């Protein structure tokens, strides 16, 4: 995996934190497993969006992965709400 200089175990832990922060910020009601998925997938999606727009990642390491995962998870929650309507 090694996205933003973070390994598998760290990606799961940081993804869970990022998803949990996004859950609290967006006031959604998801479980622990979904928080981890939102955080990890959110980081991957946001990195892909940034690369498509010719922007670099927010940095390398835990903090950058947490920020990227949080913003990406918020985008996924927002997109999910749009689809449900």
């Amino acid at each position: 995996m090694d996205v933003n200089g973070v390994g598998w175990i760290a990606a799961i832990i940081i993804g869970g934190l990022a998803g949990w922060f996004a859950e609290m910020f967006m006031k959604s009601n998801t479980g622990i497993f979904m928080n981890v998925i939102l955080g990890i997938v959110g980081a991957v999606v946001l990195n892909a969006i940034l690369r498509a727009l010719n922007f670099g990642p927010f940095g390398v390491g835990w903090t950058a992965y947490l920020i990227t995962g949080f913003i990406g998870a918020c985008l996924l929650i927002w997109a999910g709400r749009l689809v449900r309507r």
Side-chain angles (χ1 to χ4, degrees):
M1 179 161 210
D2 204 36
V3 177
N4 286 351
V6 176
W8 284 93
I9 302 293
I12 292 170
I13 295 168
I14 298 168
L17 284 173
W20 181 67
F21 290 148
E23 175 190 25
M24 295 298 152
F25 182 75
M26 298 292 288
K27 294 180 175 66
S28 67
N29 190 14
T30 59
I32 292 173
F33 182 71
M34 194 62 182
N35 287 344
V36 173
I37 298 298
L38 281 172
I40 293 171
V41 173
V44 172
V45 167
L46 187 59
N47 275 324
I49 290 170
L50 290 174
R51 284 189 190 128
L53 297 174
N54 289 330
F55 289 105
F58 291 127
V60 177
W62 290 56
T63 306
Y65 195 82
L66 182 64
I67 293 168
T68 306
F70 170 73
I71 295 171
C74 287
L75 287 173
L76 290 175
I77 292 170
W78 175 74
R81 287 179 180 171
L82 283 179
V83 170
R84 280 191 225 146
R85 289 183 187 191

